[in-house]
Amino acid sequence: REIVEGMGATTVRAGLIKCATGQGSIPAAEEKLLRATARAHRATNAPIVAHITESMEKEQLDIFESEGVDPAAVCISHVGSGEGWQERMLGALRRGANVSVDMITYDFAPDEERIGVVKVAVDAGFASQVMLAHDALVLQSGPEQMFGIGPSDFGYIPRVFVPRLIASGVDEAAAWAMVRENAQRFLARY
């Protein structure tokens, strides 16, 4: 309903489906959520953003594909951490999924670390499947109470991060595509 009619009492439609799994395994309740996500995608073609917690890229994609979802309709977010992150991320990219190198400007992940994650994907030939993001969250609990989680400077990625990415040796056109064209193509599926 939120995708085809509107969210809440509005006619503003959701532009994507976000789902999440924890770490280490996918319990029955999370599998049910992923299957429902896949079915909602198939009914609407809305793209899927799948949250991971340092693992589960392969398992999420296995479930989505078993439900008939093209991996190109999926963006795995929060890549680049946990044991074996390089091979897990590259495995998702080889299957055709997109990835989000996000949490840029968060205190726990310096730019150099995030740039290193991008370069692993770029060096393997997957620049067109990478998107850059802050992954900020704003919660509103009342008309005047808003709480933000994440950066307050939403111009940081194009103003600071992308030039640093280019200075690190990433092709300028590919770096800008990670902010513009890649996301536009992914979101235009719907």
Side-chain angles (χ1 to χ4, degrees):
R1 181 187 140 350
E2 290 186 350
I3 296 168
V4 297
E5 294 176 25
M7 297 180 285
T10 75
T11 57
V12 177
R13 299 180 319 159
L16 58 82
I17 304 166
K18 174 97 184 240
C19 62
T21 55
Q23 189 173 348
S25 68
I26 298 178
E30 289 180 1
E31 181 177 344
K32 184 178 181 179
L33 170 80
L34 294 178
R35 291 191 184 283
T37 297
R39 292 170 189 174
H41 160 75
R42 283 196 355 259
T44 64
N45 209 36
I48 299 169
V49 175
H51 165 99
I52 60 164
T53 307
E54 296 188 359
S55 64
M56 311 315 296
E57 297 95 320
K58 177 190 177 306
E59 293 79 1
Q60 286 182 353
L61 288 171
D62 287 346
I63 291 169
F64 290 144
E65 285 188 284
S66 77
E67 290 284 339
V69 175
D70 177 355
V74 178
C75 179
I76 306 287
S77 61
H78 314 315
V79 297
S81 63
E83 190 172 326
W85 69 263
Q86 296 96 333
E87 192 49 44
R88 290 192 338 265
M89 178 183 74
L90 291 173
L93 290 165
R94 284 185 203 107
R95 288 174 80 166
N98 300 278
V99 298
S100 174
V101 178
D102 49 36
M103 295 183 270
I104 296 170
T105 71
Y106 282 61
D107 291 336
F108 76 89
D111 284 355
E112 294 75 25
E113 182 181 311
R114 303 280 83 200
I115 288 169
V117 174
V118 172
K119 288 182 84 168
V120 167
V122 169
D123 291 348
F126 297 108
S128 67
Q129 292 165 245
V130 176
M131 291 176 260
L132 306 178
H134 296 292
D135 190 47
L137 172 67
V138 177
L139 304 172
Q140 187 166 354
S141 63
E144 296 185 21
Q145 294 183 359
M146 293 184 78
F147 305 91
I149 300 170
S152 59
D153 180 359
F154 290 104
Y156 185 86
I157 291 174
R159 193 182 70 255
V160 178
F161 189 81
V162 170
R164 287 181 179 170
L165 192 58
I166 294 164
S168 78
V170 172
D171 175 75
E172 183 173 357
W176 284 113
M178 291 176 206
V179 178
R180 299 176 182 147
E181 289 87 359
N182 297 356
Q184 289 171 353
R185 183 182 60 254
F186 177 71
L187 293 171
R189 297 182 57 86
Y190 169 52

